[in-house]
């Protein structure tokens, strides 16, 4: 029967859905069936579906200041911002809050264009940066084709694995005119579009080109952030990268409240000391989101959290390595994020076997919650292996 609401990213008649009446630990349940959450839903439920610390923090906050009021100064806002920024391997960054990753990208694009007084933003041919018009303009994804955006907004760059030394990267940027490019927007590690871990030489070339031509570097850490790839930020794998903007969302609240943010360096924050920041949202720095973020940051300081996360990462790495080259399968894995391609499994088959994980452009993307117990993860992966 037709539903009174839409399903995202699909023909409504063909929507592949699952019934749900409750969640339990790391499982979605309906009557006596259950599905294991092997993708952290859409890469956001890092801390499980029933995290007591996060829920309690939210409940407590509702009693104190339940609504956003962007102009107000309050302790929680100050403390959480300081704490989040202290996770960075850089100093003198500042945070702008949003309610999603797309809005984080939108605001980074707006600021980069405003500060540089340039229009165009470069990004990878195969990438995902969001679903709003601005973030779509830098997204390289087949679902983009029906949405019109001005051509002068974005320049698409060949994928780094096809150009490991960054030769085409440099040619494309120099042929277009580097002084016309406001920013390069990059997923530090490609998320749902294939878990591509970019070659270091390519990333070094990108960083060098950005500095040489005054192009801002926007790192999209919407998927990578909050320990998805191991360290808190994906960029920590590449210490030579010097971003101007870092966009976070998803895991920073574990999915318990919609929140994203843009971290900006001193050059950007200095500009806005004397120039109007023409960016803002009604629900800017929402206290409930801040409370969830604070709870997440506390969890990420627990030794037990990291012991569990590391155990899972090691297991996932070994498991994907063993699958590699078996029956034409290729895998890529970094931290708690993995892609499996070269199989012929369908989404329905995964669901039928109790696995909740997406198949995007033919790839199974695995992103288990970081708090999942190792035996639960082993059981889930055993089932995926059985289907493969
Ligand atoms: C890398 C990346 N950037 C940005 C976004 C957009 O985030 P949101 O869906 O919260 O707007 C996503 C969403 O999947 C993403 O994967």
């Amino acid at each position: 029967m037709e539903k009174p609401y839409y399903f995202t990213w699909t023909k409504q008649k063909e929507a592949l859905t699952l019934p749900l009446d409750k969640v339990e630990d790391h499982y979605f349940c309906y009557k006596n069936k259950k599905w294991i959450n092997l993708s952290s839903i859409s890469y956001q439920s890092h801390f499980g579906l029933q995290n007591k610390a996060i829920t309690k923090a939210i409940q407590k906050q509702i009693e104190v200041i339940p609504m956003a009021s962007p102009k107000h100064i309050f302790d929680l806002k100050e403390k959480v911002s300081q704490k989040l920024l202290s996770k960075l391997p850089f100093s003198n960054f500042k945070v702008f809050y949003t309610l999603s990753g797309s809005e984080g990208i939108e605001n980074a694009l707006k600021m980069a264009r405003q500060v540089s007084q340039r229009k165009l933003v470069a990004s990878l041919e195969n990438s995902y940066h969001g679903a709003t018009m601005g973030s779509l303009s830098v997204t390289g994804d087949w679902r983009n084709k029906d949405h019109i955006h001005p051509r002068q907004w974005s320049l698409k760059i060949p994928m780094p694995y096809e150009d490991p030394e960054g030769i085409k990267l440099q040619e494309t940027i120099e042929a277009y005119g580097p002084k016309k490019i406001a920013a390069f927007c990059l997923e530090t590690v490609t998320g749902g579009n294939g878990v591509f871990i970019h070659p270091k030489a390519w990333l070094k070339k990108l960083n060098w080109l950005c500095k040489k031509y005054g192009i801002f570097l926007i790192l999209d850490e919407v998927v990578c952030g909050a320990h998805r790839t191991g360290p808190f930020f994906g960029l920590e794998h590449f210490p030579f990268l010097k971003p101007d903007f870092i966009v976070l969302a998803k895991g920073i609240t574990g999915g318990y409240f919609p929140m994203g943010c843009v971290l900006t360096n001193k050059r950007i924050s200095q500009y806005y000391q004397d120039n109007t920041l023409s960016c803002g949202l009604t629900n800017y720095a929402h206290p409930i989101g801040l409370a969830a973020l604070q709870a997440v940051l506390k969890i990420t300081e627990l030794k037990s959290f990291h012991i569990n996360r590391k155990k899972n990462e090691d297991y996932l790495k070994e498991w994907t390595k063993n699958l590699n080259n078996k029956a034409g399968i290729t895998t890529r894995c970094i931290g708690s994020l993995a892609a499996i391609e070269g199989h012929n499994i369908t989404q329905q088959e995964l669901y039928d076997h109790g696995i909740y994980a997406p198949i995007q452009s033919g790839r199974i993307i695995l992103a288990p919650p970081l708090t999942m117990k190792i035996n639960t993860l082993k059981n889930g992966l055993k089932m995926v292996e059985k289907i493969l």
Side-chain angles (χ1 to χ4, degrees):
M1 206 179 50
E2 192 174 342
K3 297 287 179 211
Y5 50 83
Y6 286 102
F7 294 103
T8 57
W9 303 117
T10 181
K11 287 180 191 167
Q12 299 302 296
K13 271 188 175 167
E14 293 176 10
L16 204 53
T17 59
L18 284 175
L20 179 68
D21 55 17
K22 62 175 180 183
V23 293
E24 249 173 38
D25 189 22
H26 294 290
Y27 292 91
F28 297 104
C29 311
Y30 182 71
K31 294 187 175 158
N32 51 7
K33 280 190 166 174
K34 52 190 205 173
W35 294 264
I36 182 169
N37 179 17
L38 279 189
S39 61
S40 297
I41 319 182
S42 298
Y43 324 117
Q44 79 270 38
S45 65
H46 294 32
F47 311 97
L49 304 169
Q50 288 183 307
N51 190 295
K52 287 207 171 65
I54 309 176
T55 1
K56 270 200 189 132
I58 289 175
Q59 283 164 346
K60 226 170 118 195
Q61 186 55 40
I62 290 177
E63 302 291 329
V64 189
I65 311 171
M67 276 169 221
S69 179
K71 289 215 183 334
H72 276 104
I73 295 172
F74 48 96
D75 242 25
L76 178 67
K77 198 171 176 179
E78 179 78 24
K79 278 196 187 136
V80 176
S81 306
Q82 298 277 16
K83 189 89 207 159
L84 177 63
L85 294 172
S86 76
K87 298 275 173 192
L88 274 172
F90 316 111
S91 44
N92 293 322
F93 269 59
K94 199 160 170 169
V95 52
F96 179 92
Y97 290 100
T98 68
L99 288 151
S100 66
S102 300
E103 285 168 317
I105 294 292
E106 288 292 331
N107 284 287
L109 297 181
K110 281 171 73 177
M111 291 186 213
R113 290 193 170 109
Q114 195 177 9
V115 178
S116 66
Q117 293 292 305
R118 303 176 185 177
K119 290 272 175 299
L120 189 106
V121 176
S123 60
L124 292 185
E125 268 166 9
N126 179 26
S127 52
Y128 188 83
H129 295 292
T132 51
M133 289 300 266
S135 60
L136 265 179
S137 73
V138 278
T139 291
D141 179 304
W142 64 273
R143 293 171 294 192
N144 202 359
K145 69 181 180 354
D146 290 336
H147 300 283
I148 302 155
H149 50 79
R151 278 191 161 268
Q152 69 273 23
W153 279 14
S154 101
L155 174 70
K156 288 287 173 291
I157 303 292
M159 286 301 284
Y161 65 80
E162 295 167 350
D163 177 32
E165 300 296 323
I167 293 165
K168 284 191 230 162
L169 165 73
Q170 183 166 2
E171 278 170 8
T172 316
I173 285 178
E174 288 178 348
Y176 184 84
K179 298 276 176 195
K180 289 190 264 177
I181 302 174
F184 197 112
C185 184
L186 176 80
E187 285 168 90
T188 315
V189 171
T190 312
N193 271 330
V195 191
F196 291 102
I197 303 142
H198 312 309
K200 284 204 169 109
W202 187 95
L203 287 170
K204 280 188 177 160
K205 178 67 80 64
L206 172 67
N207 196 67
W208 176 77
L209 284 166
C210 285
K211 301 304 159 220
K212 179 171 184 206
Y213 293 120
I215 298 168
F216 289 129
L217 179 58
I218 303 172
L219 288 183
D220 179 340
E221 292 253 346
V222 169
V223 167
C224 295
H227 294 287
R228 172 55 61 201
T229 69
F232 190 91
F233 295 95
L235 58 88
E236 291 172 70
H237 292 287
F238 314 104
F240 50 86
L241 282 177
K242 300 285 177 267
D244 301 283
F245 298 87
I246 299 155
V247 180
L248 293 164
K250 295 196 188 266
I252 62 165
T253 56
Y256 284 80
F257 192 86
M259 180 170 252
C261 63
V262 191
L263 312 182
T264 70
N265 71 7
K266 189 147 193 193
R267 159 120 199 255
I268 308 302
S269 56
Q270 280 304 105
Y271 175 89
Y272 287 113
Q273 287 297 98
D274 298 311
N275 293 280
T276 303
L277 175 68
S278 47
C279 302
L281 301 99
T282 303
N283 286 309
Y284 180 84
H286 199 294
I288 312 291
L290 292 175
L293 171 55
Q294 187 177 48
V296 160
L297 294 173
K298 276 190 190 153
I299 294 170
T300 66
E301 290 192 340
L302 298 174
K303 206 166 160 203
S304 54
F305 164 74
H306 290 289
I307 292 171
N308 193 76
R309 170 181 71 74
K310 189 74 177 60
K311 239 191 245 172
N312 288 359
E313 285 175 9
D314 292 345
Y315 190 80
L316 186 66
K317 191 170 188 178
E318 204 49 33
W319 182 82
T320 46
K321 202 168 115 196
N322 289 337
L323 268 187
N324 231 350
N325 298 327
K326 266 192 198 157
I329 286 174
T330 309
T331 62
R332 287 179 291 279
C333 179
I334 182 165
S336 297
L337 184 64
I340 306 169
E341 57 188 28
H343 61 85
N344 51 16
I345 298 181
T346 63
Q347 187 70 68
Q348 189 63 55
E349 276 174 291
L350 279 186
Y351 288 167
D352 290 347
H353 287 84
I355 304 294
Y356 188 87
I359 299 187
Q360 286 183 228
S361 303
R363 303 178 187 106
I364 303 174
I365 309 288
L366 298 176
L370 312 183
T371 55
M372 187 176 259
K373 291 276 169 289
I374 186 76
N375 285 336
T376 312
L377 177 64
K378 283 183 183 173
N379 287 340
L381 294 181
K382 214 180 273 170
M383 182 52 81
V384 175
E385 201 169 338
K386 194 171 149 200
I387 316 165
L388 282 166

